[in-house]
Amino acid sequence: MAIALTRRTLLRLAGTTSLAMAAAAAARAEGPAPVVGPGFAASTPIRCGAIGLRVRDLDEMSRYYQSVLGLGVIAASADGVILGAGGVPLVWLEPRPQAAFEPRNAAGLFHTAFLMPSRRDLARWLVHVARNQTPLTGFADHSVSEAVYLDDPEGNGIEVYADRDPRLWRWEGERVVMGTHRLDVDGILSLTDTSRSNYRDAPAGMRIGHMHLRVGDIAQSEDFYRDAIGLDSTSRRDTASFLSSGRYHHHVALNTWNSAGAGRRDRAQTGLDWFSLEVADPALLAAQRERMAKAGYAPATVARGFESTDPWGTRVRLVGA
């Protein structure tokens, strides 16, 4: 398959006819401008760990994350399926066969962002989804990273991306410059053989690079994720906030684009049940627990750490790395 044909295939899968339209779709996924590998994202004092999803069709969802992302089954039982890369658990699927689908204007998951170890891995994955006719929702260059968007069968947003070398990121004081621009699809695909797919299993170094959440109020979300958990602001606007640890571009993003004024989530519905943040320093983890307790977020003990719920009922686990 020639590169140009693969690009046309990707555009068709994204439901568009031009890279500009695909970038516009990605802008809707990341919001209007302005807005190496997992080694940086996963080496910060706090980093993303795993997610738990409440799903109606366990078998279909498990097959999707295996076939599309290449995640492997780490454990399976009547309680659900644990999927991961390189033996590291990343996605816990919890069956809720009678659950109603969570509406997109509710608080909850905007997307889970899976970070490829390299741009070449992103290229290999792009050929894989093109040849398997996997529907996409957009792709774009975000200045700090290159990203592709899609939805799983139950409407949970997914981003698959590769970071640029952090030395190329532009900072204006404490704000990192991010945007939504046309993705250089040809440049990415030039890194691999587009005539066949050699992507079956997720790279061992694939990790969740960041979590993007729908919230009801930006200031209230910052009280929890910035002030109580201790993440640093890297970019902010009236309807979105981007937070990180160790000057990564963002480990957690928060927006009200579709969910302004949303109330507590319904735990009987599908969607994000919990996600974890891994904390490298036990002293930092202990300080976080004390700070969250003082702020009234009632931390509860879980394996290797504790969990609290954000103002909309999303469970956030802080655990030892």
Side-chain angles (χ1 to χ4, degrees):
M1 184 183 292
I3 287 177
L5 177 60
T6 302
R7 179 173 64 174
R8 287 197 296 273
T9 300
L10 289 168
L11 289 168
R12 178 171 56 78
L13 292 170
T16 185
T17 58
S18 73
L19 288 168
M21 291 175 66
R28 290 191 293 273
E30 286 289 5
V35 270
V36 134
F40 183 17
S43 67
T44 52
I46 306 170
R47 65 242 191 182
C48 295
I51 62 167
L53 296 176
R54 301 188 293 261
V55 304
R56 282 170 56 117
D57 192 327
L58 180 63
D59 290 341
E60 180 185 36
M61 291 286 279
S62 179
R63 284 194 301 270
Y64 182 87
Y65 281 89
Q66 291 178 66
S67 63
V68 174
L69 293 180
L71 299 182
V73 176
I74 293 176
S77 70
D79 295 327
V81 175
I82 303 173
L83 304 167
V88 176
L90 298 177
V91 177
W92 301 55
L93 300 176
E94 305 164 5
R96 301 288 192 277
Q98 305 304 317
F101 289 116
E102 184 172 68
R104 296 211 175 201
N105 62 351
L109 180 66
F110 197 65
H111 59 241
T112 305
F114 293 89
L115 176 56
M116 288 289 184
S118 70
R119 195 180 193 223
R120 181 175 179 274
D121 289 312
L122 181 62
R124 293 171 51 241
W125 178 79
L126 269 176
V127 173
H128 168 71
V129 294
R131 295 185 67 86
N132 286 284
Q133 302 290 290
T134 303
L136 306 174
T137 58
F139 32 94
D141 182 333
H142 291 307
S143 303
V144 295
S145 62
E146 296 173 297
V148 180
Y149 297 90
L150 60 165
D151 291 335
D152 74 19
E154 297 193 359
N156 298 294
I158 295 171
E159 176 183 341
V160 179
Y161 75 112
D163 274 334
R164 281 202 167 86
D165 186 331
R167 292 172 296 184
L168 301 177
W169 302 354
R170 186 160 64 90
W171 289 83
E172 296 177 347
E174 297 303 311
R175 175 185 173 274
V176 66
V177 177
M178 295 185 283
T180 300
H181 313 291
R182 170 176 167 168
L183 184 66
D184 181 9
V185 172
D186 288 345
I188 294 172
L189 294 176
S190 70
L191 300 175
T192 192
D193 180 359
T194 60
S195 67
R196 62 185 181 89
S197 173
N198 62 3
Y199 185 100
R200 186 183 68 176
D201 299 327
M206 177 196 276
R207 296 293 183 268
I208 295 175
H210 65 266
M211 296 294 299
H212 197 146
L213 307 176
R214 302 185 306 252
V215 298
D217 179 82
I218 293 301
Q220 194 175 6
S221 69
E222 289 176 328
D223 287 345
F224 182 83
Y225 289 99
R226 184 193 61 199
D227 301 337
I229 289 181
L231 296 172
D232 301 316
S233 178
T234 58
S235 185
R236 193 187 193 281
R237 60 195 91 149
D238 290 342
T239 57
S241 180
F242 299 83
L243 307 168
S244 86
S245 173
R247 285 177 73 85
Y248 188 57
H249 51 75
H250 64 293
H251 288 103
V252 174
L254 312 157
N255 80 68
T256 58
W257 300 326
N258 301 313
S259 56
R264 296 280 293 187
R265 299 176 61 207
D266 185 347
R267 288 183 51 80
Q269 296 177 340
T270 62
L272 181 66
D273 189 37
W274 58 267
F275 72 95
S276 65
L277 295 171
E278 298 181 345
V279 183
D281 184 355
L284 174 58
L285 184 63
Q288 287 173 308
R289 180 167 191 152
E290 181 178 358
R291 186 169 60 245
M292 297 189 80
K294 288 181 178 178
Y297 289 113
T301 298
V302 297
R304 297 169 35 223
F306 65 93
E307 74 172 24
S308 293
T309 58
D310 77 7
W312 297 274
T314 297
R315 296 156 61 202
V316 182
R317 296 177 177 175
L318 285 92
V319 298

